[in-house]
Amino acid sequence: MKKMLLGTMLVLGAAVYAKSAPVEEIVVEETIVDVIQIKEVIEKNVQLSIFPGLSLGASKEDSISKFSFNLLGATNNNVTGLDLSLVGIRTVEGNFKGQHLSLIPIEKFTVKGDLNGGSFSLWNDVEGTVNGSVFGLVNTINDANGGAGGLVNLVKGNATSTFGLVSIVDGTVNKQFGFINRAESVSGVQFGLINSTRNLDGVQIGLVNHATNGVLPVLPLVNFRKTF
């Protein structure tokens, strides 16, 4: 009877040990994973990108929190801080907050979210809202709560101000300066060689000024809203 009792106790003890061992191993493995994840977060502060998909410090799915230097372009999720590029295609899948500078302005800079800050590149393509300023040969923007300066500025929504050879705003613009200015609505001033709008709440100054609701639809030198 004593032998049976002793055997039963040994079996139960072995079972308890067998069940508890994997739990300890899991805890150790989870601790190692946590340490690795913390290390990865630290490394995401800084990135050196060779070209999109090949970089040191972060992958294209990661976000950058402080600094990124891009040789032939880069792709990341969200980017905050200073972003320097040489040439290629720089893509931000989310939002960008900081300053982007193309050292050799042969680059397309794409932000699929909002841009808060500034950018200087050959082509600035912002699918969200620009809260700041962008400068380039071509700027294609959804909305601009700030300035857009370039040879060609194309804004799908509203803009605070545009400066360039050709500026087209599908919504409302406050200030538009260039050789050819076109906006659906102007709440402020258009200054250029040719100015055109459907709804003018301000003044146009240029060689040819077209405003559907102006004093006359087309006037040289100056046109303004016919009623106040």
Side-chain angles (χ1 to χ4, degrees), residues 39 84 87 131 212 220:
K39 183 179 179 181
L84 299 179
V87 297
N131 297 298
T212 303

Side-chain angles (χ1 to χ4, degrees), residues 30-45:
E30 289 179 348
T31 302
I32 294 173
V33 170
D34 291 339
V35 171
I36 293 174
Q37 289 177 344
I38 292 172
K39 183 179 179 181
E40 288 178 350
V41 170
I42 294 174
E43 290 176 345
K44 293 172 188 175
N45 290 336

Side-chain angles (χ1 to χ4, degrees), residues 8-222:
T8 302
M9 292 175 64
L10 290 173
V11 171
L12 291 174
V16 170
Y17 177 80
K19 291 181 179 179
S20 62
V23 174
E24 294 176 354
E25 292 176 359
I26 291 173
V27 172
V28 172
E29 290 176 357
E30 289 179 348
T31 302
I32 294 173
V33 170
D34 291 339
V35 171
I36 293 174
Q37 289 177 344
I38 292 172
K39 183 179 179 181
E40 288 178 350
V41 170
I42 294 174
E43 290 176 345
K44 293 172 188 175
N45 290 336
V46 178
Q47 172 184 252
L48 172 62
S49 176
I50 310 303
F51 56 81
L54 178 61
S55 60
L56 302 176
S59 68
K60 64 181 182 179
E61 290 83 13
D62 294 330
S63 297
I64 307 300
S65 61
K66 290 185 178 179
F67 176 73
S68 180
F69 186 78
N70 320 306
L71 295 176
L72 300 175
T75 299
N76 292 107
N77 188 12
N78 297 307
V79 176
T80 300
L82 180 61
D83 195 64
L84 299 179
S85 296
L86 289 183
V87 297
I89 298 176
R90 177 58 164 127
T91 302
V92 178
E93 298 289 346
N95 299 319
F96 180 88
K97 183 178 181 180
Q99 300 297 323
H100 171 79
L101 175 62
S102 178
L103 300 177
I104 303 175
I106 308 176
E107 178 207 41
K108 180 185 179 185
F109 179 53
T110 299
V111 178
K112 295 186 178 181
D114 296 334
L115 185 152
N116 297 281
S119 174
F120 175 78
S121 185
L122 178 70
W123 179 4
N124 295 297
D125 182 24
V126 182
E127 297 181 10
T129 299
V130 173
N131 297 298
S133 301
V134 292
F135 299 94
L137 187 68
V138 177
N139 299 306
T140 51
I141 304 168
N142 188 41
D143 284 296
N145 292 327
L151 291 182
V152 178
N153 301 301
L154 304 176
V155 182
K156 295 180 181 178
N158 303 319
T160 302
S161 59
T162 62
F163 309 85
L165 182 66
V166 177
S167 295
I168 299 176
V169 178
D170 292 342
T172 300
V173 66
N174 298 122
K175 302 177 186 67
Q176 206 169 21
F177 302 92
F179 283 90
I180 300 175
N181 299 310
R182 170 73 179 95
E184 178 66 20
S185 298
V186 175
S187 179
V189 59
Q190 275 186 326
F191 184 90
L193 189 66
I194 299 175
N195 302 306
S196 178
T197 184
R198 289 172 58 87
N199 303 296
L200 178 61
D201 185 11
V203 62
Q204 294 174 315
I205 302 173
L207 182 63
V208 178
N209 302 293
H210 164 260
T212 303
N213 67 333
V215 174
L216 291 175
V218 179
L219 277 176
L221 302 181
V222 177

